[in-house]
Amino acid sequence: MTDSQKPLKVAVLVSGSGSNLQVLIDAMNAGSLPIEIIGVISNVKEAYAVTRAQQAGIITAVFSHITEGENAGKRMGIKTFERHASAQLNEWQPDLVVLAGFMRVLSDEFISGSPAPMINLHPSLLPKYKGLDTHQRVLESSDIHHGCSVHIVTAELDAGQVLTQAMLAVDHSESAEALQARVQKLEHQVLPWTILLIARGVLNLDAINEQKAATPYLPQLPLKLWLDS
């Protein structure tokens, strides 16, 4: 941020229930996170995240099905979604785009054409367990730690620079659902913390993308939190 008095303008892409979106909304409304969520885009019409945004008075845009022409009613392909979402983001002009439970892989063209840097929250300690079913895969491994990561979005799946991670100890006797619930508690802490670091200029995404030297007093990325629960 060039002006510390101005909130960071954030657009959020969602596909599901939106629990992490709700955390950001609550933090914004409480004044504990210097952001303004200027819009939410969903690729799923029924996503509860859309309801959360609407209840908070946040502008929403849903691009899930084609609305006109001979293909009206059909589900949008990713290219059609990207065309609509890109136009919406360019209209909103956010400072940051956050993928919070967004379940589609985006193209390099869409990412490079974004008016702002993009970050994604992923439920594993990247580079381990990219993609889906991370909790079950951890339980089937011998890993003693699990957690979540916030990383810069690139066209390669879950491969961008990892900014922050939150970790916990794995209990191999628990179910994947129980492990997921514990990791979700970490998500609700590490995502707003990461956005706060970006808003305060501690994490400069442009410099990180250009692979410039980090601020001297910061440890090497990713910044890690032990948030066992």
Side-chain angles (χ1 to χ4, degrees):
M1 292 168 62
T2 56
D3 185 344
S4 61
Q5 301 303 309
K6 289 184 178 180
L8 194 74
K9 295 189 296 181
V10 175
V12 185
L13 271 61
V14 298
S15 298
S17 68
S19 67
N20 281 292
L21 171 63
Q22 189 65 58
V23 169
L24 298 184
I25 291 171
D26 292 344
M28 174 183 69
N29 290 339
S32 58
L33 194 57
I35 64 171
E36 177 190 358
I37 302 175
I38 59 173
V40 170
I41 295 174
S42 177
N43 68 320
V44 178
K45 182 179 179 181
E46 301 81 11
Y48 188 61
V50 175
T51 301
R52 293 181 190 271
Q54 291 172 342
Q55 289 175 342
I58 297 169
I59 297 171
T60 60
V62 178
F63 305 123
S64 62
H65 294 79
I66 297 170
T67 57
E68 56 187 24
E70 61 181 18
N71 292 318
K74 290 186 178 180
R75 185 163 184 81
M76 284 186 182
I78 187 62
K79 290 298 182 184
T80 305
F81 168 84
E82 286 187 346
R83 185 172 70 251
H84 287 284
S86 180
Q88 188 65 76
L89 289 174
N90 279 289
E91 179 181 330
W92 286 342
Q93 287 294 305
D95 301 313
L96 180 69
V97 178
V98 177
L99 277 57
F102 182 73
M103 301 303 292
R104 297 295 296 269
V105 178
L106 297 167
S107 70
D108 182 61
E109 181 181 10
F110 178 81
I111 296 164
S112 61
S114 171
M118 292 186 180
I119 62 172
N120 179 54
L121 176 64
H122 181 73
S124 80
L125 297 175
L126 293 171
K128 286 190 170 184
Y129 308 112
K130 299 176 181 180
L132 302 175
D133 302 319
T134 60
H135 310 297
Q136 185 61 44
R137 290 157 67 192
V138 167
L139 290 174
E140 292 170 355
S141 76
S142 59
D143 290 5
I144 60 173
H145 294 134
H146 184 35
C148 51
S149 306
V150 179
H151 66 94
I152 294 174
V153 176
T154 64
E156 185 179 351
L157 179 65
D158 300 326
Q161 171 65 57
V162 180
L163 303 172
T164 56
Q165 292 181 322
M167 304 167 61
L168 51 68
V170 178
D171 177 357
H172 284 274
S173 68
E174 68 184 330
S175 66
E177 292 75 19
L179 181 57
Q180 178 181 8
R182 289 205 294 137
V183 170
Q184 191 171 64
K185 292 180 180 178
L186 305 191
E187 295 176 3
H188 294 169
Q189 298 175 74
V190 75
L191 181 59
W193 178 64
T194 306
I195 294 173
L196 178 63
L197 295 179
I198 295 170
R200 294 303 189 205
V202 177
L203 290 175
N204 185 320
L205 299 189
D206 290 332
I208 292 170
N209 275 325
E210 294 171 10
Q211 298 184 327
K212 293 181 178 178
T215 305
Y217 54 80
L218 281 181
Q220 184 176 359
L221 295 177
L223 306 180
K224 297 185 179 183
L225 295 175
W226 176 257
L227 294 172
D228 208 350
S229 57

